[in-house]
Amino acid sequence: AELFEKDADALAVLPLPIFGSGGRHLAYQHTDTQENFRYEIRFSFLHLGRLNSMLPLHISASDKSDAVNTGAAIKPGWYRILDDNIHAAGMRNYRGLHGGRNFFVHPQNDVKPDLQDYMLIMDRVSSSHTISDSQVPWLAQRGTVDLQCGPGQDWFVERKEPMIFVICGRNQPLGRALRCINSLASQKGIEECGAV
């Protein structure tokens, strides 16, 4: 809300940063190219009054004619049409560039059908033990929204914990599994260890 009060041209704010974006600020341009950020469909706050003031949104004649002639949907997604209108109106899309331990990564749709691979990747992305500027997957992920490494692409090669416990068991009673977990949790310095 504070940003919307400070900048009358702010239309959208994506509060979560991407990995490795550095600093603690909000920006509307890429620092290297000075190009304005596109509208971020995944998670943004919109200033509804400013959005309403832009209506109706302009759709290019070629996009309209294709849809009218074929009866199909307009080719660019609604978010691309909105993005074009935001820039044409001189409005801005801000992104939170915090550089801390909170960030988001967007897995592309081609990763999602294999649920096991998808869950393994999400586990690695969300595990604070795997986040390191020097590890291969995180070097590739730096400064990008879309997931850069898929399954089998170095996510499981590097771990930075000084000790990793490999816990094996099959068809074990709940009581035995809980004793194992409680035993690990009671160890001194366990916060620095990992478990597989």
Side-chain angles (χ1 to χ4, degrees):
E2 187 177 315
L3 174 67
F4 290 132
E5 291 173 9
K6 286 182 180 178
D7 185 350
D9 293 326
L11 181 78
V13 177
L14 172 70
L16 290 175
I18 56 178
F19 177 72
S21 48
R24 272 204 168 302
H25 62 285
L26 290 167
Y28 64 90
Q29 290 182 323
H30 294 277
T31 53
D32 51 348
T33 63
Q34 301 304 307
E35 292 179 19
N36 286 355
F37 287 124
R38 298 194 74 139
Y39 173 71
E40 181 54 61
I41 188 174
R42 295 166 188 104
F43 182 72
S44 288
F45 292 109
L46 285 166
H47 190 288
L48 194 55
R50 293 176 192 163
L51 177 63
N52 286 336
S53 73
M54 294 172 51
L55 299 178
L57 297 178
H58 172 75
I59 301 172
S60 74
S62 62
D63 290 333
K64 274 187 203 176
S65 66
D66 288 346
V68 170
N69 293 335
T70 64
I74 297 172
K75 282 187 183 176
W78 64 267
Y79 48 92
R80 291 293 176 235
I81 293 170
L82 176 60
D83 191 54
D84 291 342
N85 282 266
I86 290 170
H87 294 299
M91 299 230 178
R92 300 184 182 119
N93 298 309
Y94 279 83
R95 291 190 179 172
L97 305 176
H98 295 276
R101 308 246 340 139
N102 297 318
F103 56 88
F104 83 103
V105 173
H106 178 257
Q108 297 90 323
N109 291 337
D110 61 336
V111 174
K112 297 175 184 176
D114 186 331
L115 188 58
Q116 183 174 355
D117 284 346
Y118 181 48
M119 290 294 110
L120 285 171
I121 290 169
M122 293 303 97
D123 176 65
R124 294 290 82 202
V125 169
S126 65
S127 172
S128 63
H129 292 297
T130 65
I131 301 167
S132 168
D133 287 346
S134 64
Q135 292 178 334
V136 173
W138 292 108
L139 289 172
Q141 192 63 50
R142 176 175 286 286
T144 61
V145 173
D146 289 329
L147 179 70
Q148 297 300 303
C149 291
Q153 293 178 316
D154 301 319
W155 281 108
F156 307 101
V157 178
E158 302 167 352
R159 301 278 304 243
K160 60 183 223 186
E161 302 99 321
M163 183 180 296
I164 300 170
F165 293 96
V166 178
I167 304 169
C168 301
R170 181 177 174 173
N171 299 326
Q172 296 298 316
L174 178 60
R176 184 173 287 170
L178 289 175
R179 280 196 306 275
C180 175
I181 292 170
N182 289 337
S183 174
L184 283 174
S186 68
Q187 302 301 313
K188 185 177 181 179
I190 195 66
E191 306 81 23
E192 299 175 12
C193 298
V196 179

Coordinates of all heavy atoms in Angstrom, one line a residue, residues 72-161:
A72 N -11.5 -18.8 -32.4 CA -10.7 -19.2 -31.3 C -10.4 -18.1 -30.3 O -10.8 -16.9 -30.5 CB -9.3 -19.7 -31.9
A73 N -9.8 -18.5 -29.2 CA -9.4 -17.5 -28.2 C -8.4 -16.5 -28.7 O -7.6 -16.9 -29.6 CB -8.9 -18.2 -26.9
I74 N -8.3 -15.4 -28.2 CA -7.2 -14.4 -28.6 C -5.9 -15.0 -28.2 O -5.7 -15.6 -27.1 CB -7.4 -13.1 -27.9 CG1 -8.8 -12.5 -28.4 CG2 -6.3 -12.1 -28.1 CD1 -9.2 -11.2 -27.6
K75 N -4.9 -15.0 -29.1 CA -3.7 -15.7 -28.9 C -2.9 -15.3 -27.7 O -2.5 -16.2 -26.9 CB -2.8 -15.6 -30.2 CG -3.3 -16.5 -31.3 CD -2.3 -16.6 -32.4 CE -2.8 -17.5 -33.5 NZ -2.0 -17.4 -34.7
P76 N -2.5 -14.0 -27.5 CA -1.7 -13.8 -26.3 C -2.6 -13.9 -25.1 O -3.8 -13.6 -25.1 CB -1.3 -12.3 -26.5 CG -2.2 -11.7 -27.5 CD -2.7 -12.9 -28.3
G77 N -2.0 -14.4 -24.0 CA -2.8 -14.6 -22.8 C -3.2 -13.2 -22.3 O -2.7 -12.2 -22.6
W78 N -4.2 -13.2 -21.4 CA -4.8 -12.0 -20.9 C -3.7 -11.2 -20.2 O -3.7 -9.9 -20.2 CB -5.9 -12.2 -19.9 CG -5.6 -13.0 -18.7 CD1 -5.6 -14.3 -18.5 CD2 -5.0 -12.4 -17.5 NE1 -5.1 -14.6 -17.2 CE2 -4.8 -13.5 -16.6 CE3 -4.7 -11.1 -17.0 CZ2 -4.3 -13.3 -15.3 CZ3 -4.2 -10.9 -15.8 CH2 -4.0 -12.0 -14.9
Y79 N -2.7 -11.9 -19.6 CA -1.6 -11.2 -18.8 C -0.7 -10.5 -19.8 O -0.1 -9.5 -19.4 CB -0.9 -12.2 -18.0 CG -0.5 -13.5 -18.7 CD1 0.7 -13.6 -19.3 CD2 -1.4 -14.6 -18.7 CE1 1.1 -14.7 -19.9 CE2 -1.0 -15.7 -19.4 CZ 0.2 -15.8 -20.0 OH 0.6 -16.9 -20.6
R80 N -0.5 -11.0 -21.0 CA 0.3 -10.3 -22.0 C -0.4 -9.1 -22.5 O 0.2 -8.0 -22.8 CB 0.7 -11.2 -23.2 CG 1.6 -12.3 -22.8 CD 3.0 -11.7 -22.4 NE 3.9 -12.8 -21.9 CZ 4.5 -12.8 -20.8 NH1 4.3 -11.8 -19.9 NH2 5.3 -13.7 -20.4
I81 N -1.7 -9.2 -22.7 CA -2.5 -8.0 -23.2 C -2.4 -7.0 -22.1 O -2.2 -5.8 -22.3 CB -3.9 -8.4 -23.5 CG1 -3.9 -9.3 -24.7 CG2 -4.8 -7.2 -23.7 CD1 -5.3 -10.0 -25.0
L82 N -2.6 -7.4 -20.8 CA -2.5 -6.4 -19.7 C -1.1 -5.8 -19.6 O -1.0 -4.6 -19.5 CB -2.8 -7.1 -18.4 CG -2.7 -6.3 -17.1 CD1 -3.6 -5.1 -17.1 CD2 -2.9 -7.1 -15.9
D83 N -0.1 -6.6 -19.8 CA 1.3 -6.1 -19.8 C 1.5 -5.0 -20.9 O 2.1 -4.0 -20.6 CB 2.2 -7.3 -20.0 CG 3.7 -6.9 -19.7 OD1 3.9 -6.4 -18.6 OD2 4.5 -7.1 -20.6
D84 N 1.1 -5.3 -22.1 CA 1.2 -4.3 -23.2 C 0.5 -3.0 -22.8 O 1.0 -1.9 -23.1 CB 0.6 -4.9 -24.5 CG 1.5 -6.0 -25.0 OD1 2.7 -6.2 -24.6 OD2 1.0 -6.8 -25.9
N85 N -0.7 -3.1 -22.2 CA -1.5 -1.9 -21.9 C -0.8 -1.2 -20.7 O -0.9 0.1 -20.7 CB -2.9 -2.3 -21.5 CG -3.7 -2.5 -22.8 OD1 -4.4 -1.7 -23.2 ND2 -3.7 -3.7 -23.3
I86 N -0.2 -1.9 -19.8 CA 0.5 -1.2 -18.6 C 1.6 -0.4 -19.2 O 1.7 0.8 -18.8 CB 1.0 -2.3 -17.6 CG1 -0.2 -2.9 -16.9 CG2 2.0 -1.7 -16.7 CD1 0.3 -4.2 -16.1
H87 N 2.4 -0.9 -20.1 CA 3.5 -0.2 -20.6 C 3.1 1.0 -21.5 O 3.6 2.1 -21.4 CB 4.5 -1.1 -21.3 CG 5.2 -2.1 -20.4 ND1 6.0 -1.7 -19.4 CD2 5.1 -3.4 -20.4 CE1 6.4 -2.8 -18.8 NE2 5.9 -3.8 -19.3
A88 N 2.0 0.8 -22.3 CA 1.5 1.8 -23.1 C 0.9 3.0 -22.3 O 1.0 4.2 -22.7 CB 0.4 1.3 -24.0
A89 N 0.4 2.7 -21.1 CA -0.2 3.7 -20.3 C 0.9 4.4 -19.4 O 0.6 5.3 -18.6 CB -1.3 3.1 -19.4
G90 N 2.1 3.9 -19.5 CA 3.2 4.5 -18.7 C 3.2 4.0 -17.2 O 3.8 4.7 -16.3
M91 N 2.5 2.9 -16.9 CA 2.4 2.4 -15.6 C 3.6 1.5 -15.4 O 4.3 1.1 -16.3 CB 1.1 1.8 -15.3 CG -0.1 2.7 -15.5 SD -1.2 2.6 -14.1 CE -2.4 3.8 -14.5
R92 N 3.7 1.0 -14.1 CA 4.9 0.2 -13.7 C 4.5 -1.1 -13.0 O 3.5 -1.0 -12.2 CB 5.9 1.0 -12.9 CG 6.4 2.2 -13.5 CD 7.4 2.9 -12.7 NE 7.9 4.1 -13.3 CZ 7.7 5.3 -12.8 NH1 7.1 5.5 -11.7 NH2 8.2 6.4 -13.5
N93 N 5.3 -2.1 -13.2 CA 5.2 -3.4 -12.4 C 6.4 -3.5 -11.6 O 7.5 -3.5 -12.1 CB 5.1 -4.6 -13.4 CG 4.0 -4.6 -14.3 OD1 2.8 -4.4 -13.9 ND2 4.2 -4.7 -15.6
Y94 N 6.2 -3.4 -10.3 CA 7.3 -3.5 -9.3 C 7.5 -5.0 -8.9 O 6.6 -5.8 -8.9 CB 7.0 -2.7 -8.1 CG 7.3 -1.2 -8.3 CD1 6.4 -0.4 -8.8 CD2 8.5 -0.7 -7.9 CE1 6.6 1.0 -9.0 CE2 8.8 0.7 -8.0 CZ 7.8 1.5 -8.6 OH 8.1 2.8 -8.7
R95 N 8.8 -5.3 -8.6 CA 9.1 -6.6 -8.0 C 9.9 -6.3 -6.8 O 10.8 -5.4 -6.7 CB 10.0 -7.4 -9.0 CG 9.1 -7.8 -10.2 CD 9.8 -8.8 -11.0 NE 9.0 -9.2 -12.1 CZ 9.4 -10.0 -13.1 NH1 10.6 -10.4 -13.2 NH2 8.5 -10.3 -14.1
G96 N 9.7 -7.2 -5.8 CA 10.5 -7.1 -4.6 C 11.8 -7.7 -4.8 O 11.9 -8.9 -5.1
L97 N 12.9 -7.0 -4.6 CA 14.2 -7.5 -4.7 C 14.9 -7.5 -3.3 O 15.5 -6.6 -3.0 CB 15.0 -6.6 -5.7 CG 14.4 -6.4 -7.1 CD1 15.2 -5.5 -7.9 CD2 14.2 -7.8 -7.8
H98 N 14.6 -8.6 -2.6 CA 15.0 -8.6 -1.2 C 16.3 -9.3 -1.0 O 17.1 -9.0 -0.1 CB 13.9 -9.2 -0.3 CG 12.7 -8.4 -0.3 ND1 12.6 -7.3 0.5 CD2 11.6 -8.4 -1.1 CE1 11.4 -6.8 0.3 NE2 10.8 -7.4 -0.6
G99 N 16.6 -10.3 -1.8 CA 17.9 -11.0 -1.7 C 18.1 -11.8 -0.4 O 19.2 -12.3 -0.1
G100 N 17.1 -12.0 0.4 CA 17.2 -12.8 1.6 C 16.9 -14.3 1.4 O 17.1 -14.8 0.3
R101 N 16.5 -15.0 2.4 CA 16.3 -16.4 2.3 C 14.9 -16.7 1.8 O 14.5 -17.9 1.6 CB 16.5 -17.1 3.6 CG 17.8 -16.7 4.2 CD 18.9 -17.7 4.3 NE 18.7 -19.1 4.4 CZ 19.5 -19.9 3.8 NH1 20.5 -19.5 3.1 NH2 19.3 -21.2 3.9
N102 N 14.0 -15.7 1.6 CA 12.7 -15.9 1.1 C 12.6 -15.5 -0.4 O 13.0 -14.4 -0.8 CB 11.7 -15.1 1.8 CG 11.6 -15.5 3.3 OD1 11.6 -16.6 3.6 ND2 11.6 -14.5 4.2
F103 N 12.2 -16.4 -1.2 CA 12.1 -16.1 -2.7 C 11.2 -17.2 -3.3 O 10.7 -18.1 -2.6 CB 13.5 -16.3 -3.3 CG 14.2 -17.6 -3.1 CD1 13.9 -18.7 -3.9 CD2 15.0 -17.8 -2.0 CE1 14.5 -19.9 -3.7 CE2 15.6 -19.0 -1.8 CZ 15.4 -20.1 -2.6
F104 N 10.9 -17.0 -4.5 CA 10.0 -18.0 -5.2 C 10.7 -18.5 -6.5 O 11.5 -17.8 -7.1 CB 8.6 -17.5 -5.4 CG 8.4 -16.7 -6.7 CD1 7.8 -17.2 -7.8 CD2 8.8 -15.4 -6.7 CE1 7.7 -16.5 -8.9 CE2 8.6 -14.6 -7.8 CZ 8.0 -15.1 -8.9
V105 N 10.4 -19.7 -6.9 CA 10.8 -20.3 -8.1 C 9.6 -20.9 -8.8 O 8.8 -21.5 -8.1 CB 11.8 -21.5 -7.8 CG1 12.2 -22.2 -9.1 CG2 13.1 -20.9 -7.1
H106 N 9.5 -20.7 -10.1 CA 8.3 -21.2 -10.8 C 8.7 -22.4 -11.6 O 9.5 -22.3 -12.6 CB 7.8 -20.1 -11.7 CG 6.6 -20.6 -12.5 ND1 6.7 -21.0 -13.9 CD2 5.3 -20.9 -12.2 CE1 5.6 -21.4 -14.3 NE2 4.7 -21.4 -13.3
P107 N 8.1 -23.6 -11.2 CA 8.4 -24.8 -12.0 C 7.5 -24.8 -13.3 O 6.3 -24.5 -13.2 CB 8.0 -26.0 -11.1 CG 7.0 -25.4 -10.2 CD 7.4 -23.9 -10.0
Q108 N 8.1 -25.0 -14.5 CA 7.4 -25.0 -15.7 C 6.4 -26.2 -15.7 O 6.6 -27.2 -15.0 CB 8.3 -25.0 -16.9 CG 9.2 -23.8 -17.0 CD 10.5 -24.0 -16.3 OE1 10.6 -24.6 -15.3 NE2 11.6 -23.4 -16.9
N109 N 5.4 -26.2 -16.6 CA 4.4 -27.2 -16.7 C 5.0 -28.6 -17.1 O 4.5 -29.6 -16.7 CB 3.3 -26.8 -17.7 CG 2.5 -25.7 -17.1 OD1 2.4 -25.5 -15.9 ND2 1.8 -24.9 -17.9
D110 N 6.1 -28.6 -17.9 CA 6.7 -29.9 -18.4 C 7.3 -30.7 -17.2 O 7.5 -31.9 -17.4 CB 7.7 -29.7 -19.5 CG 8.8 -28.8 -19.1 OD1 8.7 -28.0 -18.2 OD2 9.9 -28.9 -19.8
V111 N 7.6 -30.0 -16.1 CA 8.1 -30.7 -14.9 C 7.0 -31.4 -14.1 O 7.2 -32.4 -13.5 CB 8.9 -29.7 -14.0 CG1 9.4 -30.4 -12.7 CG2 10.1 -29.1 -14.8
K112 N 5.8 -30.8 -14.1 CA 4.8 -31.2 -13.2 C 4.1 -32.6 -13.5 O 3.6 -33.2 -12.5 CB 3.7 -30.1 -13.2 CG 4.2 -28.8 -12.7 CD 3.2 -27.7 -12.8 CE 3.7 -26.4 -12.4 NZ 2.8 -25.3 -12.6
P113 N 4.1 -33.1 -14.7 CA 3.4 -34.4 -14.9 C 4.0 -35.6 -14.1 O 3.3 -36.5 -13.6 CB 3.5 -34.7 -16.4 CG 3.6 -33.4 -17.0 CD 4.4 -32.5 -16.0
D114 N 5.3 -35.6 -13.9 CA 6.0 -36.7 -13.2 C 6.0 -36.2 -11.7 O 6.9 -35.5 -11.3 CB 7.4 -36.9 -13.7 CG 8.1 -38.1 -13.0 OD1 7.7 -38.4 -11.8 OD2 8.9 -38.7 -13.6
L115 N 5.0 -36.7 -11.0 CA 4.8 -36.2 -9.6 C 6.0 -36.5 -8.7 O 6.4 -35.6 -7.9 CB 3.6 -36.8 -9.0 CG 3.1 -36.3 -7.6 CD1 2.8 -34.8 -7.7 CD2 1.9 -37.1 -7.1
Q116 N 6.7 -37.6 -8.9 CA 7.9 -37.9 -8.0 C 9.0 -36.9 -8.3 O 9.6 -36.4 -7.4 CB 8.3 -39.3 -8.3 CG 9.5 -39.7 -7.4 CD 9.9 -41.1 -7.5 OE1 9.3 -41.9 -8.2 NE2 11.0 -41.5 -6.9
D117 N 9.3 -36.7 -9.6 CA 10.3 -35.7 -9.9 C 10.0 -34.3 -9.4 O 10.8 -33.6 -8.8 CB 10.6 -35.6 -11.4 CG 11.4 -36.8 -11.9 OD1 12.0 -37.5 -11.0 OD2 11.5 -37.0 -13.1
Y118 N 8.7 -33.9 -9.6 CA 8.2 -32.6 -9.2 C 8.3 -32.4 -7.7 O 8.8 -31.4 -7.2 CB 6.7 -32.5 -9.6 CG 6.1 -31.2 -9.3 CD1 6.7 -30.0 -9.6 CD2 4.8 -31.2 -8.7 CE1 6.0 -28.8 -9.3 CE2 4.2 -29.9 -8.4 CZ 4.8 -28.8 -8.7 OH 4.2 -27.6 -8.5
M119 N 7.9 -33.4 -6.9 CA 8.1 -33.3 -5.4 C 9.5 -33.3 -5.0 O 9.9 -32.6 -4.0 CB 7.3 -34.5 -4.8 CG 5.8 -34.4 -4.9 SD 5.1 -33.0 -4.0 CE 4.6 -31.9 -5.3
L120 N 10.4 -34.1 -5.6 CA 11.8 -34.0 -5.3 C 12.4 -32.7 -5.5 O 13.2 -32.1 -4.7 CB 12.6 -35.1 -6.1 CG 12.4 -36.5 -5.6 CD1 13.0 -37.5 -6.6 CD2 13.0 -36.8 -4.2
I121 N 12.1 -32.1 -6.7 CA 12.6 -30.7 -7.0 C 12.1 -29.7 -6.0 O 12.8 -28.9 -5.5 CB 12.2 -30.3 -8.4 CG1 13.0 -31.2 -9.4 CG2 12.5 -28.9 -8.7 CD1 12.5 -31.1 -10.8
M122 N 10.8 -29.8 -5.7 CA 10.2 -28.8 -4.7 C 10.9 -29.0 -3.3 O 11.1 -28.0 -2.6 CB 8.7 -28.9 -4.6 CG 8.0 -28.5 -5.9 SD 8.3 -26.8 -6.4 CE 9.6 -27.1 -7.7
D123 N 11.2 -30.2 -3.0 CA 11.8 -30.5 -1.7 C 13.2 -29.8 -1.7 O 13.6 -29.2 -0.7 CB 12.0 -32.0 -1.5 CG 12.7 -32.3 -0.2 OD1 12.3 -31.9 0.9 OD2 13.9 -32.8 -0.3
R124 N 13.9 -30.0 -2.8 CA 15.3 -29.3 -2.8 C 15.2 -27.8 -2.8 O 16.0 -27.2 -2.2 CB 16.0 -29.8 -4.1 CG 16.4 -31.3 -4.1 CD 17.5 -31.6 -3.1 NE 16.9 -31.8 -1.8 CZ 17.5 -31.7 -0.6 NH1 18.8 -31.4 -0.6 NH2 16.9 -31.9 0.5
V125 N 14.2 -27.3 -3.6 CA 14.1 -25.8 -3.6 C 13.7 -25.3 -2.3 O 14.2 -24.2 -1.9 CB 13.0 -25.4 -4.7 CG1 12.7 -24.0 -4.6 CG2 13.6 -25.8 -6.1
S126 N 12.8 -26.0 -1.5 CA 12.4 -25.5 -0.3 C 13.2 -25.8 0.9 O 13.0 -25.2 2.0 CB 10.9 -26.0 0.0 OG 11.0 -27.4 0.2
S127 N 14.2 -26.6 0.7 CA 15.1 -27.0 1.9 C 16.2 -25.9 2.1 O 17.0 -25.7 1.2 CB 15.8 -28.3 1.6 OG 16.7 -28.6 2.6
S128 N 16.2 -25.3 3.2 CA 17.2 -24.3 3.5 C 18.7 -24.8 3.4 O 19.6 -24.1 3.2 CB 17.0 -23.7 4.8 OG 17.1 -24.6 5.9
H129 N 18.8 -26.2 3.6 CA 20.2 -26.7 3.5 C 20.7 -26.8 2.1 O 21.9 -26.9 1.9 CB 20.2 -28.2 4.1 CG 19.9 -28.2 5.6 ND1 20.7 -27.7 6.5 CD2 18.9 -28.8 6.3 CE1 20.2 -27.8 7.7 NE2 19.1 -28.5 7.6
T130 N 19.9 -26.7 1.1 CA 20.4 -26.7 -0.3 C 20.7 -25.4 -0.9 O 21.3 -25.3 -1.9 CB 19.4 -27.4 -1.2 OG1 18.2 -26.6 -1.3 CG2 19.0 -28.8 -0.7
I131 N 20.3 -24.3 -0.2 CA 20.4 -23.0 -0.8 C 21.9 -22.5 -0.6 O 22.3 -22.3 0.5 CB 19.4 -22.0 -0.2 CG1 18.0 -22.5 -0.4 CG2 19.6 -20.6 -0.7 CD1 17.0 -21.8 0.4
S132 N 22.6 -22.3 -1.7 CA 23.9 -21.9 -1.6 C 24.3 -21.2 -2.9 O 24.0 -21.8 -4.0 CB 24.9 -23.0 -1.4 OG 26.2 -22.6 -1.6
D133 N 24.9 -20.1 -2.9 CA 25.3 -19.4 -4.1 C 26.3 -20.1 -4.9 O 26.5 -19.9 -6.1 CB 25.9 -18.0 -3.8 CG 24.8 -17.0 -3.3 OD1 23.6 -17.3 -3.5 OD2 25.2 -16.0 -2.8
S134 N 27.1 -21.1 -4.3 CA 28.1 -21.7 -5.0 C 27.7 -23.1 -5.6 O 28.4 -23.7 -6.3 CB 29.3 -22.0 -4.0 OG 28.9 -22.8 -3.0
Q135 N 26.5 -23.6 -5.3 CA 26.1 -24.9 -5.8 C 25.5 -24.7 -7.2 O 24.8 -23.7 -7.5 CB 25.0 -25.5 -4.9 CG 25.6 -25.9 -3.5 CD 24.6 -26.5 -2.6 OE1 23.4 -26.2 -2.7 NE2 25.0 -27.3 -1.7
V136 N 25.8 -25.7 -8.0 CA 25.5 -25.6 -9.4 C 24.0 -25.2 -9.7 O 23.8 -24.3 -10.5 CB 25.8 -27.0 -10.1 CG1 25.4 -27.0 -11.6 CG2 27.3 -27.2 -10.0
P137 N 23.0 -25.9 -9.1 CA 21.6 -25.5 -9.5 C 21.3 -24.1 -9.1 O 20.6 -23.4 -9.8 CB 20.8 -26.5 -8.7 CG 21.6 -27.5 -8.1 CD 23.0 -27.0 -8.2
W138 N 21.9 -23.6 -8.0 CA 21.6 -22.2 -7.6 C 22.3 -21.2 -8.4 O 21.8 -20.1 -8.6 CB 21.8 -22.1 -6.1 CG 20.9 -22.9 -5.3 CD1 21.2 -24.0 -4.6 CD2 19.5 -22.7 -5.2 NE1 20.0 -24.5 -4.1 CE2 19.0 -23.7 -4.4 CE3 18.6 -21.7 -5.6 CZ2 17.6 -23.8 -4.0 CZ3 17.3 -21.8 -5.3 CH2 16.8 -22.8 -4.5
L139 N 23.4 -21.5 -9.0 CA 24.1 -20.6 -9.9 C 23.2 -20.4 -11.1 O 23.1 -19.3 -11.6 CB 25.5 -21.2 -10.3 CG 26.6 -21.2 -9.2 CD1 27.8 -21.9 -9.7 CD2 26.9 -19.7 -8.8
A140 N 22.6 -21.5 -11.6 CA 21.8 -21.4 -12.8 C 20.5 -20.7 -12.5 O 19.9 -20.0 -13.3 CB 21.4 -22.8 -13.3
Q141 N 20.0 -20.8 -11.2 CA 18.7 -20.2 -10.8 C 18.8 -18.7 -10.5 O 17.8 -18.0 -10.6 CB 18.2 -20.9 -9.6 CG 16.7 -20.6 -9.2 CD 15.8 -21.0 -10.3 OE1 15.8 -22.1 -10.8 NE2 14.9 -20.1 -10.7
R142 N 20.0 -18.2 -10.2 CA 20.2 -16.8 -9.9 C 19.6 -15.9 -10.9 O 19.9 -15.9 -12.0 CB 21.7 -16.6 -9.7 CG 22.0 -15.1 -9.4 CD 23.5 -14.9 -9.2 NE 23.9 -15.4 -7.9 CZ 23.6 -14.8 -6.7 NH1 22.9 -13.8 -6.7 NH2 24.0 -15.4 -5.6
G143 N 18.7 -15.0 -10.4 CA 18.1 -13.9 -11.2 C 17.0 -14.4 -12.1 O 16.6 -13.6 -13.0
T144 N 16.5 -15.6 -12.0 CA 15.5 -16.0 -12.9 C 14.3 -16.6 -12.2 O 14.4 -17.1 -11.1 CB 16.0 -17.2 -13.9 OG1 16.4 -18.3 -13.1 CG2 17.1 -16.7 -14.7
V145 N 13.1 -16.4 -12.8 CA 11.9 -16.8 -12.2 C 11.6 -18.3 -12.4 O 11.3 -19.1 -11.5 CB 10.7 -16.0 -12.7 CG1 9.4 -16.6 -12.2 CG2 10.8 -14.5 -12.4
D146 N 11.7 -18.7 -13.7 CA 11.4 -20.1 -14.0 C 12.5 -21.1 -13.5 O 13.7 -20.7 -13.6 CB 11.3 -20.3 -15.5 CG 10.0 -19.6 -16.0 OD1 9.0 -19.6 -15.3 OD2 10.0 -19.1 -17.2
L147 N 12.1 -22.3 -13.1 CA 13.0 -23.3 -12.6 C 14.0 -23.6 -13.7 O 13.7 -23.8 -14.8 CB 12.2 -24.5 -12.2 CG 13.0 -25.7 -11.8 CD1 13.6 -25.4 -10.4 CD2 12.2 -27.0 -11.7
Q148 N 15.3 -23.6 -13.4 CA 16.4 -23.8 -14.4 C 16.9 -25.2 -14.4 O 17.5 -25.6 -15.4 CB 17.5 -22.8 -14.1 CG 17.1 -21.3 -14.2 CD 16.6 -21.0 -15.6 OE1 17.3 -21.2 -16.6 NE2 15.4 -20.5 -15.7
C149 N 16.8 -25.9 -13.3 CA 17.3 -27.3 -13.3 C 16.2 -28.3 -13.0 O 15.4 -28.0 -12.1 CB 18.4 -27.4 -12.2 SG 19.9 -26.6 -12.6
G150 N 16.2 -29.3 -13.8 CA 15.2 -30.3 -13.6 C 15.7 -31.5 -12.8 O 16.8 -31.5 -12.3
P151 N 15.0 -32.6 -12.8 CA 15.5 -33.8 -12.1 C 16.7 -34.3 -12.7 O 16.9 -34.3 -13.9 CB 14.3 -34.8 -12.2 CG 13.5 -34.3 -13.3 CD 13.7 -32.8 -13.4
G152 N 17.7 -34.8 -11.9 CA 18.9 -35.3 -12.4 C 19.9 -34.3 -12.9 O 20.9 -34.6 -13.5
Q153 N 19.6 -33.0 -12.6 CA 20.5 -32.0 -13.1 C 21.1 -31.3 -11.9 O 21.0 -30.1 -11.7 CB 19.7 -30.9 -13.9 CG 19.2 -31.5 -15.2 CD 18.4 -30.5 -16.0 OE1 17.6 -29.8 -15.4 NE2 18.6 -30.4 -17.3
D154 N 21.8 -32.0 -11.1 CA 22.7 -31.5 -10.1 C 22.0 -31.1 -8.8 O 22.6 -30.6 -7.9 CB 23.5 -30.3 -10.5 CG 24.4 -30.7 -11.7 OD1 25.0 -31.8 -11.7 OD2 24.5 -29.9 -12.6
W155 N 20.7 -31.3 -8.7 CA 20.0 -30.9 -7.4 C 20.4 -31.8 -6.3 O 20.4 -31.4 -5.1 CB 18.5 -30.9 -7.6 CG 17.9 -29.8 -8.3 CD1 17.4 -29.8 -9.5 CD2 17.8 -28.4 -7.8 NE1 17.0 -28.5 -9.9 CE2 17.2 -27.7 -8.8 CE3 18.1 -27.8 -6.6 CZ2 16.9 -26.3 -8.7 CZ3 17.9 -26.5 -6.5 CH2 17.2 -25.8 -7.5
F156 N 20.8 -33.0 -6.6 CA 21.0 -34.0 -5.5 C 22.5 -34.3 -5.3 O 22.9 -35.2 -4.6 CB 20.2 -35.2 -5.7 CG 18.7 -34.9 -5.9 CD1 18.2 -34.8 -7.2 CD2 17.9 -34.5 -4.8 CE1 16.9 -34.5 -7.4 CE2 16.6 -34.1 -5.0 CZ 16.1 -34.1 -6.3
V157 N 23.3 -33.6 -6.1 CA 24.8 -33.9 -6.0 C 25.4 -33.3 -4.8 O 26.3 -33.9 -4.2 CB 25.4 -33.5 -7.3 CG1 26.9 -33.7 -7.3 CG2 24.8 -34.2 -8.5
E158 N 25.1 -32.0 -4.6 CA 25.7 -31.3 -3.5 C 24.8 -31.0 -2.3 O 23.7 -30.7 -2.5 CB 26.1 -29.9 -4.1 CG 27.0 -30.0 -5.3 CD 27.1 -28.7 -6.1 OE1 26.4 -27.7 -5.7 OE2 27.9 -28.6 -7.0
R159 N 25.4 -31.3 -1.2 CA 24.7 -30.9 0.1 C 25.7 -30.2 0.9 O 26.9 -30.5 0.9 CB 24.3 -32.2 0.8 CG 23.4 -33.1 0.1 CD 21.9 -32.7 0.1 NE 21.4 -32.6 1.5 CZ 20.4 -33.3 2.0 NH1 19.9 -34.3 1.3 NH2 19.9 -33.1 3.2
K160 N 25.2 -29.2 1.7 CA 26.2 -28.5 2.5 C 26.2 -28.8 4.0 O 26.9 -28.2 4.7 CB 26.0 -27.0 2.2 CG 24.7 -26.4 2.6 CD 24.7 -24.9 2.2 CE 24.1 -24.1 3.3 NZ 23.9 -22.7 3.1
E161 N 25.4 -29.8 4.4 CA 25.4 -30.2 5.8 C 26.7 -30.9 6.1 O 27.2 -31.7 5.3 CB 24.2 -31.1 6.1 CG 22.8 -30.5 5.8 CD 22.3 -31.0 4.5 OE1 23.1 -31.1 3.5 OE2 21.1 -31.3 4.4

